[in-house]
Amino acid sequence: MDLEKVFHMKGGLGETSYSKNSSLQKRAADKVKHITLEAIEEMFVESRPKSLGIADLGCSSGPNTLSNIKELVNAIERGSRKLFEPAPEFRVYLNDLPTNDFNTIFQALPDLYRELKKGKKHGNPSIYIAGYPGTFYGRLFPDKCLHFIYSSNSLHWLSRVPPGIYNEKGESINRKGIYISENSPPRVAQAYFQQFKHDFSLFLRSRSEEVVIGGRMVLILLGRNGPNHVDRGTAFLWEILYRSLATLVSKGEIEEEKLDSYEVHFYAPSKEEVEDEIRKDGSFKLDRFEMFEIEKDTGNSSSSYGKAMAMTVRSIQESMISHHFGEAILDNLFEEYGRLVDEEMAKEDIRSISFVLVLQKL
């Protein structure tokens, strides 16, 4: 499967779109927003570029991207005023895979420009925004053109399903799961780890060519706490998706062979695994590394937590599941998924861990 042609968040503005179901990702970004803004402000004060290059890697198609851009631009303008200097021009590059719904972002740009103009007495910021489709596991931009890179909830996605989970016949050895689970042979976890190391090292090597000396990267991604891959966090949410698919197999809505051959291109690394790859690459200094959890959102009383989580996961996974199983199963699958999440949450919380890293180019 060519992930660059298949994998994307659900586009548009419909009820199951990523745009309508990305509040969890926004809450993660908001929780560490102070770290993001401190990083770009420090970079600006140190380098004071006249033309500042910013890239959002894995921007997707919801409102979160343009909200982040507005925050970054406003932070630099505040820094400029403190220095009694004019603000730089902003070159903003929005990156995601080619199948991403860039149109939804572009259609929202006039609103962003109006927001940036509000309350300005001394002219409007010079900002130039462009889409850059392509995988960030490789070069995307010209040499030394970026001062700041932001990537939220993207780097836990691998460039492919690890080839090491398949036997000589091309069959998956991970028959009782779609990710690393208690039923997975040890070889499965090792294959996922090897793919993460390959991808993350390629990401760092590529960015090291594109970022100026002293430039910063803020990376937010899902991870895990400690060496055990199987926990009651993100790995458990994949286990619930597997159980939901297995329920549809038992009802005759999915062929068992189809489920046996479905695997996800995802990996939740540990802190030590991430730090080790940064150290081996040697192009960036790790300025900051924090782990955090997102509290359960109790603000929406009109639907259960499980239903809200099901809508979020559907907006992320629909393209992959539809490609493999067909669209007909989606409603029943995610109804079951939401039910199982609520059932499990009644027993014990499911607590996913996220990382935020600030890297400085050496």
Side-chain angles (χ1 to χ4, degrees):
M1 182 195 304
D2 187 345
L3 287 173
E4 287 191 48
K5 294 181 179 177
V6 176
F7 181 55
H8 57 86
M9 306 296 104
K10 180 67 181 291
L13 298 171
E15 287 304 307
T16 61
S17 68
Y18 185 79
S19 184
K20 290 285 181 69
N21 296 284
S22 53
S23 61
L24 184 66
Q25 292 86 338
K26 178 167 175 51
R27 282 192 287 131
D30 285 349
K31 184 155 187 175
V32 296
K33 181 170 66 175
H34 63 289
I35 295 175
T36 302
L37 299 184
E38 284 171 16
I40 197 168
E41 286 169 5
E42 287 174 4
M43 176 279 301
F44 178 71
V45 168
E46 291 170 10
S47 58
R48 303 190 188 186
K50 302 299 182 188
S51 178
L52 194 154
I54 299 172
D56 184 337
L57 305 185
C59 65
S60 192
S61 59
N64 297 348
T65 287
L66 297 185
S67 174
N68 293 332
I69 296 304
K70 185 176 78 169
E71 296 276 4
L72 295 173
V73 169
N74 287 339
I76 294 299
E77 291 193 312
R78 286 194 300 270
S80 300
R81 288 194 293 271
K82 289 178 185 177
L83 296 170
F84 301 101
E85 293 183 359
E89 68 174 15
F90 297 91
R91 293 173 284 110
V92 179
Y93 309 106
L94 305 180
N95 158 258
D96 212 307
L97 295 176
T99 49
N100 182 60
D101 179 13
F102 285 99
N103 281 342
T104 296
I105 300 177
F106 296 152
Q107 288 165 6
L109 285 179
D111 291 334
L112 172 67
Y113 296 143
R114 278 192 290 273
E115 286 287 321
L116 290 172
K117 288 178 183 177
K118 279 183 181 177
K120 297 290 192 306
K121 296 179 181 179
H122 305 292
N124 304 317
S126 297
I127 180 167
Y128 306 94
I129 299 176
Y132 258 64
T135 176
F136 49 53
Y137 294 125
R139 287 293 300 273
L140 285 166
F141 308 103
D143 284 353
K144 306 296 182 289
C145 72
L146 298 176
H147 298 85
F148 189 79
I149 286 177
Y150 178 80
S151 180
S152 181
N153 285 283
S154 296
L155 276 164
H156 41 247
W157 297 111
L158 302 174
S159 65
R160 59 179 176 173
V161 175
I165 68 170
Y166 298 104
N167 62 22
E168 300 78 13
K169 297 179 181 179
E171 301 166 334
S172 172
I173 62 171
N174 194 31
R175 296 244 172 154
K176 296 299 180 183
I178 58 176
Y179 180 57
I180 306 165
S181 71
E182 291 179 349
N183 298 314
S184 300
R187 218 175 101 194
V188 170
Q190 187 60 26
Y192 272 96
F193 176 45
Q194 291 300 324
Q195 188 63 50
F196 168 77
K197 288 201 297 182
H198 173 273
D199 287 348
F200 191 51
S201 64
L202 181 55
F203 175 88
L204 292 171
R205 190 162 65 249
S206 301
R207 303 295 81 77
S208 71
E209 300 294 326
E210 299 163 352
V211 178
V212 301
I213 293 174
R216 304 295 202 277
M217 291 201 297
V218 173
L219 311 178
I220 304 168
L221 67 153
L222 289 165
R224 69 181 199 277
N225 190 7
N228 188 8
H229 290 88
V230 182
D231 57 14
R232 199 173 175 85
T234 305
F236 191 65
L237 291 172
W238 288 119
E239 172 64 22
I240 292 176
L241 184 57
Y242 172 78
R243 291 184 197 172
S244 303
L245 288 163
T247 298
L248 268 58
V249 170
S250 69
K251 293 179 177 179
E253 296 180 40
I254 293 176
E255 296 175 3
E256 188 169 4
E257 294 77 12
K258 278 283 190 182
L259 178 54
D260 287 344
S261 62
Y262 188 66
E263 311 290 341
V264 297
H265 64 293
F266 172 93
Y267 186 73
S270 68
K271 181 175 186 286
E272 292 73 22
E273 289 168 352
V274 173
E275 289 177 332
D276 192 44
E277 291 307 310
I278 294 169
R279 187 165 48 249
K280 284 193 291 187
D281 175 80
S283 302
F284 294 90
K285 179 180 75 169
L286 184 57
D287 283 346
R288 193 164 182 174
F289 194 133
E290 295 189 14
M291 292 192 290
F292 64 98
E293 293 180 3
I294 303 300
E295 294 79 15
K296 180 179 173 181
D297 184 10
T298 57
N300 184 6
S301 58
S302 63
S303 65
S304 72
Y305 178 78
K307 183 176 180 181
M309 181 61 71
M311 294 289 277
T312 296
V313 174
R314 178 172 180 168
S315 72
I316 296 168
Q317 279 289 290
E318 181 168 322
S319 65
M320 299 297 291
I321 290 171
S322 296
H323 180 79
H324 190 83
F325 297 103
E327 294 182 6
I329 70 162
L330 290 170
D331 290 343
N332 289 344
L333 173 65
F334 286 104
E335 182 179 346
E336 177 68 10
Y337 183 88
R339 186 189 69 78
L340 288 177
V341 169
D342 280 334
E343 188 178 280
E344 289 293 338
M345 288 292 288
K347 300 175 189 174
E348 183 185 349
D349 269 358
I350 303 168
R351 306 180 72 90
S352 294
I353 290 172
S354 292
F355 299 152
V356 58
L357 295 74
V358 178
L359 302 175
Q360 181 177 352
K361 177 66 171 63
L362 297 172

